[in-house]
Amino acid sequence: MSILFRYFAKEIFQATLLLLMGLLALFALFDLIKELGDLGKSNYGLGVVLAYVTLSQPAHVAIIFPVAALMGTIFAIARLSSQSELTVMRASGLSLAKLAGFATVVGLIFSVVMFLFGEFVAPAAEEAAKRVRMTATSNVVAQQFRSGFWIKDDLSFVNIQSVTIDTELVGLRIYDFDSGFKLKSLRVAKRAAFDEQKSSWVMQDVEKTVFTGSAARIEKLPRDAWATTLKPNLLAGLRVKPDDMSLLTLSAYIERLRTNKENSTRYEIAFWGKIFQPATVIIMMLLAIPFAIQSHRSGGLGAKLLMGIMLGLVFVFLNQLAANLTLLNDWPPLISSLIPLATFFCLAFVLLMSREYACRLPRRLR
């Protein structure tokens, strides 16, 4: 490993870390402002709000890190260029291709760290954050296991296999107990949807078992109402979004949805997004190089950072657009995940080649 590479990697690492901390602080401020609206609700005090906001930040890292890497690379290379260090390096034989190779290696290191962080830290922190918020803002206690969600609602224990994107309950079991903690009834339903007018859940294909003494009676109902304090907004707060799940969890969930012949497109998009995340970081860093080494007449460091922010926003927009079009048109999730990456890779390649040609052109004219 050359001294030049170590110096270059140190500069990018420090700049990226600084910008990542700044972006996370901004996201934390927005989250805090949003949560202050529920301050004082039940046991949702300031300490719990701060705990929730803190636990929510790891989930943001995976989203904003490619943008932070883009801006960090621009910042580091632009600073080296403004201090004429990059000019000396290039005069000593450092080509843009070698500079791009340095950025690729640093990007690979970043990608490995972010992959491990996204697999083991972010999902656990996000689940803990949602549990902290739900426990403090309602009297519903919930926990997620392999068998689904287990929820305690007054004298009832509820098992929900899964919750769809539209907050519909799939695979529902309700265990009702009396005040002496004796099982009164068991209701099993395939699905349940919330009725806003009646403010209750409407269960479909229900099998109800009523226990009276030593006897049991089974009833089969096409529909049955379930009145509970558990509302869709509470379930939405408890459910972990596909983008916040680990790869193993996503893979298992997709397999279960396919087995049950349910739509798994949204989860497949998140799965491929995580698979291609290392490539995203590397492409963002490569794209930063031609913008960072522009001549001084093209604008200062602030203008280049602004350009980095705009490029990051365009990439996020393309990702969201491709994901939404895939959901609407039932396109292959793999293709929709590759389109933004391929577009920005081609853009980075063209800009790097054009910049290399522009740097060599004056020498040829001489």
Side-chain angles (χ1 to χ4, degrees), residues 155-347:
L155 293 176
S156 299
F157 287 87
V158 184
N159 175 230
I160 303 170
Q161 290 294 316
S162 61
V163 183
T164 67
I165 296 296
D166 299 325
T167 322
E168 186 179 77
L169 312 182
V170 179
L172 185 65
R173 290 174 177 267
I174 305 174
Y175 300 84
D176 296 313
F177 293 82
D178 59 20
S179 57
F181 299 102
K182 292 182 179 180
L183 185 62
K184 294 193 305 180
S185 65
L186 167 62
R187 286 176 285 177
V188 180
K190 290 186 177 180
R191 290 181 174 271
F194 192 74
D195 190 332
E196 294 286 351
Q197 295 180 345
K198 297 180 180 179
S199 190
S200 64
W201 294 90
V202 178
M203 301 183 294
Q204 300 177 358
D205 298 325
V206 183
E207 183 179 282
K208 183 176 181 181
T209 305
V210 181
F211 301 95
T212 53
S214 58
R217 184 180 74 258
I218 298 178
E219 302 176 4
K220 291 190 177 181
L221 307 170
R223 286 173 170 265
D224 192 18
W226 174 37
T228 175
T229 57
L230 186 66
K231 306 300 180 187
N233 62 325
L234 294 179
L235 281 172
L238 177 66
R239 187 185 67 243
V240 178
K241 299 177 183 177
D243 293 335
D244 298 331
M245 293 179 177
S246 66
L247 273 175
L248 291 177
T249 304
L250 276 171
S251 178
Y253 202 84
I254 290 169
E255 186 63 29
R256 186 167 69 177
L257 289 174
R258 287 176 176 173
T259 302
N260 296 332
K261 297 182 179 180
E262 298 182 58
N263 190 350
S264 62
T265 304
R266 180 68 185 87
Y267 296 90
E268 290 182 55
I269 292 173
F271 178 83
W272 288 113
K274 286 183 175 291
I275 290 290
F276 293 128
Q277 187 179 29
T280 302
V281 175
I282 294 171
I283 290 173
M284 290 293 100
M285 294 178 69
L286 292 177
L287 190 61
I289 296 174
F291 287 97
I293 61 175
Q294 293 290 335
S295 65
H296 295 292
R297 291 175 296 176
S298 65
L301 181 58
K304 293 170 183 176
L305 285 177
L306 180 61
M307 179 63 70
I309 294 173
M310 295 303 297
L311 284 172
L313 290 176
V314 170
F315 181 77
V316 172
F317 172 76
L318 279 179
N319 261 333
Q320 291 296 324
L321 180 62
N324 291 332
L325 289 176
T326 300
L327 290 172
L328 288 173
N329 300 294
D330 199 24
W331 292 344
L334 174 60
I335 302 300
S336 69
S337 299
L338 282 173
I339 288 175
L341 286 176
T343 302
F344 271 69
F345 176 76
C346 292
L347 178 61

Side-chain angles (χ1 to χ4, degrees), residues 359-366:
C359 291
R360 292 179 179 179
L361 186 59
R363 297 178 186 176
R364 294 177 181 176
L365 293 177
R366 278 182 281 182

